[in-house]
Amino acid sequence: MTDDKHAKHAARALAAREGISYTAARRRLAGAVDQEQQEPRPPVVAPLTSRPCPEGCEGSGHPGTVCWSWRPADVKGGARWEVRRSAELPGGRAEQLAQRADGARHKTQGARWASFHAWEDRWLLALVYAMLTDQQPELLPDRARLRAAVETDDLAAVDAAMEPLDRAAARLMTKVPEVWWSEVKPLLNTYADAVENDDRELTTWQEIDARDVVDRLVDRWRTAWVPVRNHRGYMDPPGVLWSGPKGWLDALLVGQHGGHAPGARVRLTDGRPALVYAVEWGEAGPPVAYRVRELVPGQHGNGGRLVPSLTSAVLVAAVDCRADTD
């Protein structure tokens, strides 16, 4: 075997033995090699440009100096925090969408508990963003357009620039268990494998920084599926609250294009009341369909109250749903 194959084999063996991710094992082995086999070398200082470079800069204007590509965090003072974070991929935007959805409605105590745990798993949406932009670079927002939106403190313009990516994520994510387990989770597993086995040489500090972010997201994905013992001594089951990000994306896109947001009451064409719990999106425009749950009389002393039937999961075309004004 080549040295690289030996290294991969050793990393997989270490990961299995120590219960850590493949990426963490590669880092540990690389650190051991650096300490044992390499001679100490003085650090090389490479100056950065004093300000972000213009779009398309290839370094010819400042030879010997490392280019500094613009980032939303470079805007100081003139833009609100939420505007800058909403423009940062992958983690900043995922965090802001979760925060917007969490503060948009009043909740029962049970809903507060669910939203808290969904907030803890907001990294899952960041991982989805990372996968989509790696596999479909055309979904990345135009950098000049995004920069103008952030510098003018225009949150709506940031959302508009991000819409192709948000829409792709909303079409991928789901609240249907069968779709999650059979389609979405295997896609994320495959992407995690690709990241862990990607040995491309990174040439810029920003590429290294971006790869580190993705590596940490993949580590979170791996550890999420390993049972852990909690502070009470019980084993917490593995997994994430994967349905949460779908609701955040649906609420955002409904706010931009209209329609019925998750949680809205609607009437079907035959007059039955129902509750929207997920939205289906096309390539552009308003929703094309809704996943609804039929409203039925409650039980256990709540016979006069309509509640969603958790066993119903009906996909209804958007034209067949109207707002319930009764």
Side-chain angles (χ1 to χ4, degrees), residues 180-234:
W180 165 259
W181 293 108
S182 65
E183 299 179 20
V184 183
K185 185 174 182 291
L187 282 176
L188 291 169
N189 280 332
T190 301
Y191 176 66
D193 292 339
V195 170
E196 291 175 341
N197 290 282
D198 187 358
D199 295 325
R200 289 176 298 172
E201 182 178 357
L202 305 179
T203 58
T204 68
W205 68 272
Q206 288 182 322
E207 288 178 343
I208 295 172
D209 186 53
R211 173 51 58 86
D212 182 65
V213 170
V214 175
D215 284 346
R216 285 187 278 115
L217 290 172
V218 169
D219 284 344
R220 288 289 300 271
W221 173 257
R222 296 300 196 198
T223 56
W225 301 101
V226 178
V228 295
R229 191 175 301 278
N230 61 28
H231 67 283
R232 296 183 178 180
Y234 297 101

Side-chain angles (χ1 to χ4, degrees), residues 38-55:
Q38 295 184 4
E39 296 181 359
R41 293 182 301 172
V44 177
V45 178
L48 295 174
T49 56
S50 60
R51 64 187 63 182
C53 301
E55 297 300 323

Side-chain angles (χ1 to χ4, degrees), residues 93 97 100 159 166 247-257:
R93 184 155 187 83
L97 292 193
R100 289 191 221 176
D159 289 343
D166 290 333
W248 307 336
L249 293 163
D250 286 347
L252 172 72
L253 293 172
V254 165
Q256 294 173 342
H257 296 282

